[in-house]
Amino acid sequence: MRDMVEKRIENLGNSVLDLLNGLGDFTNFAIRTMFWTFRPPYRFKLLFEQIYFIGNKSVFIIFLTSSFTGAVFAYQIYVGMKVINADSFIGPLVTIALAKELAPVPSGLVVAGRCGAGMAAQIGTMKVTEQIDALEVMGINSYQYLAVPRILGATLSLPLLSAIFLMIGYGGSWVIGTQVLQIDDITFTSKVSDFMELGMVAEGIIKATVFGYLIGVIGTYQGFRVTGGAEGVGKGTNMAVVWGMITVLVVDFFLTSFLTKIL
Amino acid sequence: MSEFSIEFKDLSKLYGQATILNNLNFGIHKNKITTILGFSGAGKTTLMKHILGLTMPTSGDVIVLGTAINKLDELALREFRRNFGMVFQYAALFDFLTSFENVAFPLREFTKMNEEQIKDKVLNLLDSVGISLEAAYRLPSELSGGMRKRVGLARGLALDPHIMLYDEPTSGLDPITTHMVYDLMRDTHYNNVHHGFTSVIISHDIHATLKYSDYIVFMEKGQVVEHLDVESFKKSANPVIRRFLEL
Ligand SMILES: Nc1ncnc2c1ncn2[C@@H]1O[C@H](COP(=O)(O)OP(=O)(O)OP(=O)(O)O)[C@@H](O)[C@H]1O
Ligand SMILES: [Mg+2]
């Protein structure tokens, strides 16, 4: 009995140690990639390729998700607002929600699923087929060559995608609000400009930038730590998606509580 | 000048508790073809990673062309690696680049050659390893294993290295292609030896090794059991080597 309890405690201790170890590795990786970001050579071509890759992979899903999110949200709010005769507030409510939360978070989830996974798969494959060793043997820093453009690419693209999400989502709510729910167009738009503040847009943009950075670091980190063949690549890809999505959701909570204080 | 281009001094490597390389002291002869033989897990690849500075010793030194490579800082080490060409077990071609671009890659990264000079040099290199113009513009996934290895060799030679390393260059190839690759390695060696060129091959293939090498290093459990020229190796009385020879 005592043995069993001790064993349990030992196991628990080991998993905590493993987690801390992993966190240490991850932090180390993040610091090293940050260091190599600011050292020449600057590989703009690779950066643009990554931005293109991320945009290309996610823009269609962003388009789809955002238009429906805006439209559905407009409907849902209408149902509630109608009761208190405040249905003309649909515009600002939807837009504020989109700017602060409903654009950056789903955009982050989409990019984590599509691109974080892609990064881990590409780099992981290169790892198990010794292509990363080949880079290193030639004297090229593989973090700088492979991780930096992907991390920067995600950091720069996600705010853009989130902005696109916001605009299309707004469009979706406008269509539902003015065309279906018969709110006057002037009322709808003027209410939006009355209540929207720059800080709200800034909050979303800052969030999206942080998400992009973290998704990039997680995706590339999972790629670099792949070991053991195709199976390992699959595992790494999976981890990149899971951790990418969890991170977006958890970090969103902390960023919200922080940013609403300062903005 | 030393007769060795690579020397190991009291080199040991531990992974956790496991001793992978155990106090190695020997040199690899300059301008010769040396094969490192040994059973799986003997520590051959680990030794090669020490030569390249991809792995650092737990203790001891690795001296390459007179420089203690484990004492270089990161940037100097990267610079120094241009002395090496390496052919990987499965060629390790960059899968997002064509054969041509794979060979051009080190030239684009490290030389100031213009597009025309690069094209000349790459097509020359590919031709010398027997890759046709048509195959030059295909992706690695569209090539056979033997072709990939030849493109890998051309890429390894692009910067005119002084030391060429091969990690099991013929594993996974049929006997005829194996001999073609060995012929190619030997031709490469003798075409370059005038400007200083050392070849180090990791292999399991005892027959090809006896035919093509000048020196043989036999490793077992992280130690060098025997380090001899080929003729003496054939006469070795060591029971493990006799067993290997009789395979
Ligand atoms: N990064 C590492 N961490 C822990 N152990 C390792 C690592 N790399 C190699 N080893 C261990 O070192 C030993 C020697 O490995 P190495 O790859 O050098 O053998 P090898 O002689 O090249 O074998 P093979 O012929 O199968 O390629 C093996 O037992 C291996 O498990
Ligand atoms: Mg090996």
Side-chain angles (χ1 to χ4, degrees):
Chain A
M1 184 61 200
R2 218 192 127 126
D3 265 14
M4 239 169 81
V5 173
E6 268 175 16
K7 193 90 203 142
R8 287 257 168 104
I9 294 175
E10 195 183 314
N11 284 344
L12 186 71
N14 278 338
S15 9
V16 171
L17 282 181
D18 278 353
L19 193 73
L20 288 180
N21 232 332
L23 213 59
D25 272 359
F26 178 76
T27 312
N28 191 345
F29 178 81
I31 292 169
R32 290 180 57 126
T33 49
M34 181 71 85
F35 173 79
W36 284 106
T37 304
F38 296 105
R39 293 198 67 141
Y42 304 111
R43 299 179 184 275
F44 292 109
K45 184 165 166 277
L46 293 180
L47 175 61
F48 290 128
E49 274 172 23
Q50 286 309 316
I51 292 176
Y52 177 79
F53 169 79
I54 293 166
N56 192 27
K57 273 219 152 187
S58 35
V59 99
F60 177 71
I61 308 181
I62 295 278
F63 201 91
L64 205 71
T65 327
S66 57
S67 47
F68 280 97
T69 305
V72 168
F73 209 53
Y75 254 127
Q76 295 284 23
I77 288 183
Y78 175 79
V79 175
M81 287 296 174
K82 186 80 188 145
V83 182
I84 54 167
N85 254 335
D87 44 333
S88 62
F89 284 94
I90 292 178
L93 275 172
V94 174
T95 321
I96 290 170
L98 278 170
K100 291 167 74 112
E101 291 292 339
L102 285 183
V105 173
S107 305
L109 295 177
V110 167
V111 172
R114 301 279 293 173
C115 310
M119 292 176 196
Q122 287 165 351
I123 295 177
T125 305
M126 291 186 72
K127 175 93 185 287
V128 299
T129 55
E130 294 184 306
Q131 292 177 57
I132 290 185
D133 282 336
L135 275 178
E136 292 284 339
V137 167
M138 285 179 204
I140 293 171
N141 185 301
S142 55
Y143 285 180
Q144 192 177 31
Y145 191 84
L146 297 170
V148 169
R150 285 174 172 78
I151 296 171
L152 266 185
T155 312
L156 297 174
S157 317
L158 199 51
L160 283 175
L161 289 168
S162 178
I164 294 172
F165 196 114
L166 171 59
M167 287 188 281
I168 298 173
Y170 172 71
S173 69
W174 182 87
V175 169
I176 297 298
T178 61
Q179 307 303 308
V180 181
L181 303 173
Q182 305 295 336
I183 298 163
D184 177 48
D185 177 21
I186 310 276
T187 316
F188 190 95
T189 44
S190 68
K191 278 270 188 313
V192 170
S193 46
D194 283 351
F195 286 93
M196 273 299 277
E197 287 166 20
L198 208 60
M200 299 169 180
V201 180
E203 183 179 337
I205 298 292
I206 292 171
K207 280 180 176 174
T209 310
V210 175
F211 296 161
Y213 171 74
L214 290 171
I215 290 166
V217 180
I218 291 169
T220 51
Y221 171 73
Q222 292 297 345
F224 272 101
R225 53 172 299 198
V226 163
T227 50
E231 200 183 317
V233 177
K235 221 173 112 193
T237 309
N238 221 341
M239 295 283 274
V241 176
V242 172
W243 282 110
M245 290 188 170
I246 291 176
T247 304
V248 166
L249 295 171
V250 173
V251 169
D252 180 54
F253 173 78
F254 289 106
L255 275 179
T256 303
S257 51
F258 174 68
L259 288 173
T260 41
K261 271 185 210 128
I262 61 162
L263 284 175
Chain B
M1 241 355 219
S2 157
E3 62 175 311
F4 301 119
S5 56
I6 304 166
E7 281 176 272
F8 305 101
K9 297 217 163 122
D10 306 319
L11 172 67
S12 291
K13 178 68 179 179
L14 280 75
Y15 279 121
Q17 301 290 317
T19 306
I20 308 298
L21 299 177
N22 191 352
N23 198 30
L24 300 181
N25 277 293
F26 71 101
I28 291 178
H29 291 82
K30 187 169 263 172
N31 299 343
K32 300 288 182 198
I33 301 175
T34 297
T35 300
I36 300 172
L37 272 182
F39 297 106
S40 198
K44 306 182 295 292
T45 300
T46 307
L47 186 68
M48 191 166 275
K49 288 192 170 163
H50 279 82
I51 299 175
L52 292 159
L54 287 176
T55 305
M56 287 297 161
T58 307
S59 63
D61 290 307
V62 180
I63 292 155
V64 181
L65 304 171
T67 304
I69 167 159
N70 50 305
K71 297 212 168 84
L72 295 175
D73 66 42
E74 181 160 351
L75 285 177
L77 179 59
R78 288 185 188 285
E79 195 75 22
F80 191 82
R81 289 209 187 112
R82 285 176 218 171
N83 287 303
F84 298 112
M86 167 104 196
V87 179
F88 288 86
Q89 191 161 356
Y90 298 101
L93 298 178
F94 301 126
D95 50 19
F96 48 92
L97 298 175
T98 62
S99 309
F100 181 97
E101 285 302 324
N102 263 284
V103 181
F105 187 91
L107 299 173
R108 292 193 201 291
E109 285 290 326
F110 297 114
T111 70
K112 297 202 157 44
M113 291 165 89
N114 65 32
E115 209 43 42
E116 194 146 328
Q117 291 166 317
I118 288 177
K119 190 168 178 186
D120 272 357
K121 172 126 195 179
V122 171
L123 292 181
N124 246 325
L125 279 165
L126 285 173
D127 185 57
S128 75
V129 298
I131 293 291
S132 68
L133 202 57
E134 178 261 330
Y137 295 98
R138 281 198 253 152
L139 288 171
S141 56
E142 300 160 344
L143 301 174
S144 74
M147 287 162 98
R148 264 180 245 162
K149 225 148 267 187
R150 282 185 267 165
V151 176
L153 178 57
R155 182 178 69 181
L157 289 169
L159 294 175
D160 302 312
H162 293 291
I163 298 174
M164 199 66 197
L165 304 164
Y166 303 87
D167 191 357
E168 301 187 28
T170 58
S171 67
L173 299 181
D174 64 78
I176 293 180
T177 316
T178 295
H179 276 274
M180 270 164 57
V181 171
Y182 264 102
D183 281 335
L184 204 56
M185 291 196 286
R186 185 176 54 188
D187 293 347
T188 302
H189 186 84
Y190 290 109
N191 288 338
N192 288 286
V193 76
H194 60 275
H195 68 248
F197 196 84
T198 305
S199 299
V200 185
I201 306 169
I202 290 181
S203 178
H204 289 299
D205 187 330
I206 184 75
H207 300 288
T209 298
L210 293 175
K211 184 167 166 209
Y212 290 92
S213 318
D214 299 315
Y215 289 90
I216 297 177
V217 176
F218 191 91
M219 286 182 71
E220 207 196 6
K221 297 192 184 119
Q223 286 179 308
V224 173
V225 178
E226 204 75 277
H227 180 191
L228 295 167
D229 61 87
V230 172
E231 290 314 311
S232 320
F233 187 86
K234 286 179 186 161
K235 298 187 202 98
S236 167
N238 187 305
V240 185
I241 293 175
R242 292 254 55 102
R243 223 173 72 216
F244 212 90
L245 285 171
E246 278 149 22
L247 286 179

